[in-house]
Amino acid sequence: MKGSTAKKLHMIGNAHIDPVWLWQWPEGFHEVLATFRSALDRIREYDEFIFISSAAVFYEWVEKSDPEMFREIQERVAEGRWEIVGGWWLQPDCNVPSGESFVRQGLYGQHYFQEKFGVKARVGYNVDSFGHNGMLPQILKQSGLDYYVFMRPGPHEKGLPGRLFWWESDDGSRVLTFRIPFEYCTWGKELDKHVRRCAAELKAPFDELMCFYGVGNHGGGPTRENIESIQRLDADPEMPQLIFSSPNRFFRSIAGQDLPIPVVHDELQRHASGCYAAHSGIKQWNRLAENRLVTAEKFAAIAKWLTGQPYPHDFEHAWKNVLFNQDHDILPGTSLPSAYDDALYLYGEAMAIADRGLNYALQSLLWRIQMAPEDGLKPIVVFNPHTWEVCSNVELEFGRYDDSYRLVDDEGEVVPVQLVQSETTARGRNRLSFLATLPPLGYRVYRVVEDSTITVEAAPVDATDHVLDNGRLRLELDPERGTIAGLRDLRHDVEVFEGPAARAVVLADSSDTWSHNVFRFDDVAGEFTATSVRRVEHGPVKSVIRVTSSYGASTLIQDFTMYAGLERIDVHVTVDWREQFK
């Protein structure tokens, strides 16, 4: 018999499931059901066995497709034989999503677990995410998660004071955090090698450690051979005590001891950094969907309070689409190509829901704006979804607008307007560009009036093919290289850059999607060279210099835009990329 003070390995039976990776989500759906069925069978066969699983979306899949299995899981959770971890909708990438998305992961995940199982998770659980941003401890704590389990980055990628530490964010929030040794899953039937490796990690002052086992990635979970090998190894007097356990039990045991646990105040980075440059489309769709939903929700809430417009019931569904696509193998760009067709459909549905809800809200609000009758009046209402004042360029498609028209703001001041390229070539349609100063979370009403006698005063940007100067900033472009030759803050007489800046450098990169064990991308293969530098737009609102460059068979177009009176330069970049291993 091993004494009560013997070293312990908490054996954590799990099945890491990638709902999408080298397969599409319907296959992931099937693997969830098959894995959960297997786990329930093992619980029935072995009295000591405990199973853990995260990701609320997996449980929802089971609930909707196999209610009988779902009820069985509920019973096992109530018994303590099946433990819910994670508390989030699924295991997302932990770098790219917005802060609002991380909060929604916890909001919808914890609500689901509380509603369906009467419990909330206490252990944050992102074992396969490629890195973890430094503000997660605050979000985890506010989501009711006191502990955190991760595996990547490994010791060769990020040095830490130990497997167990307090992870602290900038606001002082702390979560007790554990880095999994070696693997979160096992493929062999016998666990001797894996268990002995984990046992070797038991080092003073810690007499307890977690050891994760079970077939994973494509699901599977602990096998009979896994469980029986643990029972056999536990009988070996040379081995530490092996107990079927869970992260909750491990952390409770550690928290009950007076141990010198170090504090880490840092991001947990960096693993597979190559994926963050893979599949730019998924990153763009994600940010568009996040921003549209936040905007729609703000104005939907305002409209409900002010006009009684019904609040849309489907925002939660839209958010769950976005949260699912933030999975650690979808959003980084590491899944197979057909999976991104599925992701696009989910993002499309989410954005359509956001756009519909936003339109109902804004229409409800603007139809209640009181305006004095005026012949020929054409109002333009511009809304600001931010909680701070914004001064920005506004562009919109409009009807006929010629020299006889003027734009007037709500204070009677004439606003300079510039006609820019319309999306349509039909006659009678124009695209207007003007600068608007907008109140926080509010709107301004502008009026288009037909009165050519009104004088328009404008101080346009001083612009040539190579220089933009609005009295606040002066941008100079090298006509031969197409790079920034100089950017001066005229108000403070400060040169912003030293030497040629904003160079489009081409790097040699023979690594795969993940770029495992690649920590620097600095093998310069060449750079784009300018083929054209010229002014393409100029008017009372803005001026644009377009730099067209080439490298090999690829083309780069950069539009540098300066606005009259704004301390801001926009650079719109389009790349037609046709190179390989670069």
Side-chain angles (χ1 to χ4, degrees), residues 171-190:
D171 75 319
S173 298
R174 289 182 178 183
V175 287
L176 191 55
T177 300
F178 180 82
R179 177 157 67 181
I180 295 174
F182 308 116
E183 267 293 356
Y184 51 68
C185 59
T186 51
W187 288 274
K189 294 181 179 181
E190 301 293 324

Side-chain angles (χ1 to χ4, degrees), residues 217-396:
N217 288 348
H218 199 263
T223 65
R224 293 186 181 93
E225 292 85 355
N226 288 167
I227 296 169
E228 290 170 5
S229 68
I230 292 172
Q231 293 172 332
R232 173 176 53 77
L233 286 166
D234 188 44
D236 184 345
E238 300 298 320
M239 291 292 294
Q241 183 180 2
L242 307 183
I243 56 175
F244 292 98
S245 187
S246 68
N248 267 326
R249 297 185 185 188
F250 168 76
F251 283 117
R252 281 199 302 266
S253 178
I254 291 294
Q257 304 175 43
D258 185 17
L259 295 170
I261 300 176
V263 176
V264 173
H265 187 116
D266 196 6
E267 293 191 320
L268 303 181
Q269 306 287 8
R270 178 164 290 107
H271 174 85
S273 57
C275 70
Y276 291 105
H279 203 303
S280 61
I282 192 74
K283 277 83 167 174
Q284 183 186 43
W285 307 335
N286 176 73
R287 195 67 81 230
L288 288 172
E290 288 175 328
N291 290 338
R292 286 196 195 183
L293 279 169
V294 169
T295 298
E297 285 184 315
K298 288 178 180 178
F299 284 111
I302 292 171
K304 185 179 188 304
W305 294 330
L306 295 182
T307 72
Q309 174 68 33
Y311 192 84
H313 67 279
D314 48 1
F315 280 156
E316 180 174 330
H317 177 77
W319 266 112
K320 287 178 178 178
N321 282 5
V322 174
L323 300 182
F324 182 82
N325 277 340
Q326 291 173 347
D327 175 78
H328 60 278
D329 278 317
I330 300 176
L331 187 54
T334 59
S335 295
L336 74 170
S338 56
Y340 289 100
D341 293 334
D342 300 333
L344 178 59
Y345 305 151
L346 287 180
Y347 277 127
E349 183 184 33
M351 285 189 273
I353 290 171
D355 287 348
R356 184 168 58 244
L358 179 61
N359 182 66
Y360 277 120
L362 295 185
Q363 294 282 357
S364 173
L365 292 167
L366 68 85
W367 274 98
R368 287 165 173 78
I369 296 174
Q370 300 297 318
M371 298 186 65
E374 185 176 344
D375 289 342
L377 173 66
K378 296 179 181 180
I380 297 174
V381 183
V382 184
F383 289 87
N384 175 18
H386 302 298
T387 54
W388 57 88
E389 182 181 86
V390 168
C391 185
S392 183
N393 180 56
V394 173
E395 289 192 8
L396 74 153

